[in-house]
Amino acid sequence: MENEIIDFITSYIPLSGEEVSIIKEQNLIKSYNKGEVLLSEGEFSKECYFILKGCIRSYYLMDGEERTTEFYTENQSIRPVSYLTNQPSEYYLSCLEDCVVAVGSTERNKRLIERLPKLASLIMQMDSELLVQHQVSFDQFKHLNPEMRYLKLLETRADLFDRVPLYHIATYLGITAVSLSRMRKRISRK
Amino acid sequence: MENEIIDFITSYIPLSGEEVSIIKEQNLIKSYNKGEVLLSEGEFSKECYFILKGCIRSYYLMDGEERTTEFYTENQSIRPVSYLTNQPSEYYLSCLEDCVVAVGSTERNKRLIERLPKLASLIMQMDSELLVQHQVSFDQFKHLNPEMRYLKLLETRADLFDRVPLYHIATYLGITAVSLSRMRKRISRK
DNA sequence: CGAATAAATTATCTTAAGATAAGATCAGTA
DNA sequence: TACTGATCTTATCTTAAGATAATTTATTCG
């Protein structure tokens, strides 16, 4: 499993054999069960994640209703806002499936970067990429109606529809589960 | 005008007198007239901006309609996606008012960072902050209906309503100008 | 000032989403 | 297998947004 992380890192920056072993000896891989909550509202997140296997969902609790903001799957990284800001988290992270995850803690990452300064540039690149992705998906979301958002999601992340309940996808699209069901019927009639 | 930039930078990282003068001698301040377009769809952006005075709007052109994605005002920085990715821009940047702007070019920034390496950490911090801001505002947008978005914008950026036409604010909120007008009437009746 | 243009509102009609409640279907398991 | 809870669908009603066109109000500029 460590190999996936190494592959991911070397897709950004080259690593020597020694550097690879420094990273491998960190032992940062954890498993979580379906349903486990990695972060709750109000908590301070001290960890970031890289998903090797499984699916993690982020969501807010609004008037008792869960509002999904993201589905993270294989090879995606999660950098909780709370982790970046040292403020209490506004949202939850929980596992929709059994997961295998590479976990970085604030302190361990700091120590690791001291030993391998080039990792800092990896983080910069990842942040910059995340920034771009967010901006693009926000802009898209804002200017597509729910039906177009649904069709786009079908195109870009078809896998989600096989592994995630529709009512979570509905709130992710910004609509209710009832409305999504109705929309799917409408689309299928065409 | 240079002082605003120095103030902004020193709010992140301390600068010696010498460092301040290095930055000041860069002569990176430009003025633009209302209506000037700083970036067009299809162009490669080689510049990022820090607004000292005025208001710049970013927007997509969809089926001939402008869809505003952001209003940038005093003390905000603009890092175009195209600038970050070296891909052609998907959107436009244009001045809604006469503007005074600190402009950073790819090459000049590189040279500047070579002379003042600590600026790299400033950029990292700014990217990280931007990332957080985007994520928060995306999450909010997704789970508020148009009326709540409007009320929230009134709270958080009341100044925009004095300097920006409502029909731009409408597309920024993800609705039509007609719909915004109707909504305002509805709200005022309450 | 007054004409031209830009910006905002109003009206009408259509369409789709929200809320709520009630069923139907599926999946895990005692 | 039959029960249970989870998931998805259907129906009804209400509300608000989209499209379009017409009109009013503001702003700009010769």
Side-chain angles (χ1 to χ4, degrees), chain B residues 165-167 177-178 181-182 184-185:
Chain B
L166 283 175
Y167 65 97
V178 173
S181 176
R182 197 164 37 193
R184 281 158 60 86
K185 189 176 198 188

Side-chain angles (χ1 to χ4, degrees), chain B residues 29 84 91 104-105 129 136 155 172 187-188:
Chain B
I29 294 185
L84 295 172
Y91 56 79
S105 74
E129 275 182 25
V136 169
E155 266 177 48
Y172 177 69
I187 291 171
S188 73

Side-chain angles (χ1 to χ4, degrees), chain A residues 79-95:
Chain A
R79 299 166 63 64
V81 168
S82 167
Y83 171 84
L84 295 172
T85 62
N86 292 309
Q87 295 295 308
S89 180
E90 311 245 327
Y91 56 78
Y92 296 79
L93 288 174
S94 88
C95 299

Side-chain angles (χ1 to χ4, degrees), chain A residues 136-181:
Chain A
V136 168
S137 50
F138 189 6
D139 294 349
Q140 274 192 6
F141 184 94
K142 194 184 281 187
H143 297 119
L144 298 180
N145 61 29
E147 183 169 328
M148 289 157 83
R149 278 176 226 150
Y150 169 75
L151 294 173
K152 180 134 278 184
L153 191 67
L154 262 185
E155 266 177 49
T156 55
R157 298 194 67 184
D159 62 307
L160 286 183
F161 291 84
D162 297 325
R163 59 201 296 190
V164 168
L166 284 175
Y167 66 96
H168 285 148
I169 291 181
T171 69
Y172 176 70
L173 293 171
I175 60 179
T176 62
V178 173
S179 181
L180 176 57
S181 176

